[in-house]
Amino acid sequence: MYNFNLSVLLSGQYHDWLVAGLLLSIKLALLTLIFSLPMALLIAVLRLSPVSIFRAAAIAYVESIRNVPLLAHMLFWYFGAPEILPEPVKAWLYERNVEAASSVIALVLYTSAYMAEDIRSGIRSIPKEQMEAGRALGFGFLDTMRLVILPQSLRLTIPPLISQMLNLWKNTSIAMVIGVGEMMYQAQQVESASFRSYEAFSFATAAYLSISLLITLLSSWYQQRYPVRSA
């Protein structure tokens, strides 16, 4: 019968590895969220822009990002992108924490493409007469978006954005493939060093589950606190 050693999770070197991995996973998720939200908002507005070249660029971005697996993005930004840089710049990057930077870039680009579509759906749910009324009052496209459309649409968009936060939290685990010391990477290191695979991956599973449930509860609270009612 397997002897579950709880001390591996509660103290010692392996505990420190797992906690460090958890904290790094949280940092990756928060950094990605901070950069993804404004980028997604910009892309969503560009997709609805009256200027065709802006619309085309935003559509190309969303489709090219969403139709490539996140794993491929991670590998490209770690192995591929630095190769096109000058040799001194590449050497400078690899002397530092290029793994974490590459993972954040990949996560931001990937997450913002999905968030942009959620924001665009929220904007499109606002009756077109709102835009027409803003333009009739003399506002330009951007001013109408900023003052009239976005304040209404973002309230409708928050629930799907919270769902994207849940996806983002789970997607941070893919950063392990490029050597980022996040939670799954550290769990694997503990398993390799101690052969306590059950304890290591139990910790990772419990951590992912706990934070995922917190995000789910946040979504439920928001929808109860600010229910979306049909017009």
Side-chain angles (χ1 to χ4, degrees), residues 5-46:
N5 187 358
L6 189 62
S7 63
V8 172
L9 306 181
L10 298 180
S11 62
Q13 181 185 31
Y14 300 139
H15 164 80
D16 295 340
W17 290 2
L18 292 169
V19 171
L22 171 60
L23 294 177
L24 183 55
S25 291
I26 294 172
K27 289 178 183 177
L28 287 176
L30 290 176
L31 278 174
T32 302
L33 186 63
I34 290 170
F35 289 110
S36 293
L37 282 173
M39 188 171 179
L41 183 60
L42 174 62
I43 295 165
V45 172
L46 289 178

Side-chain angles (χ1 to χ4, degrees), residues 64-65 67-81 102 106 110 174 177-178:
S64 62
I65 294 294
N67 287 290
V68 176
L70 177 56
L71 176 60
H73 288 291
M74 288 279 184
L75 296 175
F76 170 78
W77 285 104
Y78 181 63
F79 292 108
S102 299
Y110 190 81
I174 300 179
V177 300
I178 59 173

